[in-house]
Amino acid sequence: MKVNLAPFKFRDVMVNAGGPVKTVDVGAESIFGREQYSAAAYLKDELRLDCDLPDGVGSANDPTTAKFRAVSEALERWAFRQCKLEEPVTYGFDYDPTTNGMGAYPGLFSKDARQSAEREAIERHVLILWWEGYLECHLLGDPFPGVRAIRIENPFSEHEVVLLWQFLNERFYTYGFGLAANVNEACWRAGVEMHRLSGVIGEHYQKYDNLDLDYINQAKHLFEKRTLFFSRPEGFVNLLKRVESHPEHVYCSKPVTLIDRKVSGPWDQYVTVWRVVFEQPSREFINDRADYFFW
C-alpha cells in the first residue's frame, strides 16, 4: 500500500515558499459524463521550456488529489530536463531521450515511484512491440459513447493495456493509452489521456481547416508531429491496418532492462523520481517519423 506524503512534502513546493512550482490551476470538468477535477502545474520560469503547455497535469475526483498529481508530474519533468542535459548516460537518455519509463511519487518509500515507472515502461514497451508487429490485439466493446477500443496483449505483467480512439467533432481523430489492473480502469485512464490530447489537437484545428503534411512536419516536437499526423484520415487508416493485421514476428522473451534506478537531484525533497528503460525491438520509436504510432 502506498503512503502518500504529498500534504507534508508539498507544503513548501510553491515559489512563494521557496519551491520550484510557480502556479497550479485547478478546475472542474466533465470527462465522458463523469465529473472530474483537472489541474495544470507550471514550474518557475528558469525551469521551463519555451512553450505554453503546463509542466504537469493531473485529474482526480477531488481538487486536492488532482493538484498533487499535477505537481508530481511537473517535478518529474524538472528531473527529466536536468538529467537529460547533465547526465544522459546515467539515466538512459542516450538510448531513449523521452520521458518514457519515468515515475514520480511523494511517498515514504522509493519502491512506490519505482512501481509507477515500471508500469509506464511496460505500457510503452507493449505499444512499441504491437506497432512493430510483435503482439496481438483484440477489439473491445465501446467503453464510452463514440469511442472504440482494443486490448493489446501484455506478456510482461498482469496488467491490461488498452488503446482508445475517437473521431471528434467530425474533424479529427484522437487517441489514448492506458495500463491498469483491469480493462475498465485501463479504459478510464486512456479516456482521460485522450480527453487531454483532444484539447491539444483541437487548438490546431481551430486555427486551420486542414493540417497538411508541411504543417505537421514543422511541429517542434516529435510526439506533437505524430499526434497531428494520426489525427488526419491518412494516419487513422495506418492505425486500422495495424489493428486488422496479425503479428509478423515472434517475441517471447522478457524485456532487457537497461536502466532501473532512482533519479537523484534537488527534487528529492519533494518526490522520489525513478526511471526504468527497456531495450526496444528497434530504434524506430525515436526516429523523426510522423507515421510511427507512439508518443
Side-chain angles (χ1 to χ4, degrees), residues 187-208:
C187 284
W188 173 249
R189 293 186 179 188
V192 171
E193 180 180 288
M194 184 170 66
H195 177 78
R196 293 174 185 162
L197 182 61
S198 66
V200 176
I201 295 176
E203 290 184 3
H204 291 273
Y205 281 87
Q206 286 179 355
K207 298 175 183 177
Y208 304 96

Side-chain angles (χ1 to χ4, degrees), residues 47 49 75-100 102 220-223 259 262-267 273 275 277 283 285-286:
L47 299 178
L49 294 178
L75 296 172
E76 177 193 306
R77 292 299 186 270
W78 177 20
F80 161 69
R81 293 163 187 162
Q82 181 167 316
C83 292
K84 183 180 177 181
L85 288 174
E86 299 178 359
E87 300 179 88
V89 176
T90 301
Y91 298 109
F93 295 114
D94 57 328
Y95 179 81
D96 182 348
T98 73
T99 59
N100 293 336
M102 293 192 73
K220 294 181 180 179
H221 304 291
L222 175 60
F223 288 177
I259 298 291
K262 179 182 176 182
V263 182
S264 298
W267 44 84
V273 179
R275 192 173 201 219
V277 178
R283 304 291 287 156
F285 75 102
I286 57 166

Side-chain angles (χ1 to χ4, degrees), residues 10-25:
F10 289 171
R11 68 193 187 283
D12 298 325
V13 78
M14 302 303 294
V15 165
N16 57 14
V21 178
K22 184 177 181 179
T23 59
V24 182
D25 300 327

Side-chain angles (χ1 to χ4, degrees), residues 186-284:
C187 284
W188 173 249
R189 293 186 179 188
V192 171
E193 180 180 288
M194 184 170 66
H195 177 78
R196 293 174 185 162
L197 182 61
S198 66
V200 176
I201 295 176
E203 290 184 3
H204 291 273
Y205 281 87
Q206 286 179 355
K207 298 175 183 177
Y208 304 96
D209 291 334
N210 181 48
L211 306 186
D212 59 25
L213 289 178
D214 287 339
Y215 177 89
I216 291 171
N217 287 324
Q218 291 174 13
K220 294 181 180 179
H221 304 291
L222 175 60
F223 288 177
E224 180 186 19
K225 182 188 301 186
R226 290 176 176 175
T227 58
L228 293 178
F229 175 82
F230 282 96
S231 74
R232 304 167 73 242
E234 295 88 339
F236 180 66
V237 169
N238 284 5
L239 173 75
L240 285 184
K241 289 179 181 178
R242 173 52 62 199
V243 170
E244 295 170 354
S245 66
H246 295 286
E248 304 161 0
H249 315 286
V250 176
Y251 192 90
C252 56
S253 63
K254 292 184 178 180
V256 176
T257 302
L258 303 179
I259 298 291
D260 186 353
R261 63 182 300 171
K262 179 182 176 182
V263 182
S264 298
W267 44 84
D268 289 347
Q269 68 184 98
Y270 308 109
V271 291
T272 299
V273 179
W274 203 278
R275 192 173 201 219
V276 175
V277 178
F278 294 146
E279 184 178 23
Q280 304 300 345
S282 76
R283 304 291 287 156
E284 289 297 303

Side-chain angles (χ1 to χ4, degrees), residues 118-184:
E118 184 179 44
R119 286 179 178 177
E120 176 170 299
I122 290 172
E123 175 193 289
R124 317 306 278 176
H125 191 54
V126 165
L127 289 166
I128 290 171
L129 287 171
W130 170 70
W131 183 252
E132 296 199 11
Y134 287 89
L135 297 177
E136 189 71 79
C137 74
H138 305 278
L139 285 171
L140 296 171
D142 296 356
F144 310 106
V147 176
R148 305 301 304 275
I150 59 172
R151 172 185 172 273
I152 303 176
E153 176 187 3
N154 173 18
F156 311 115
S157 72
E158 298 298 319
H159 301 97
E160 300 287 354
V161 179
V162 301
L163 164 64
L164 274 56
W165 67 86
Q166 181 181 30
F167 187 52
L168 199 62
N169 302 326
E170 299 186 352
R171 295 197 68 191
F172 60 87
Y173 292 90
T174 184
Y175 308 87
F177 314 129
L179 174 147
N182 59 68
V183 169
N184 288 339

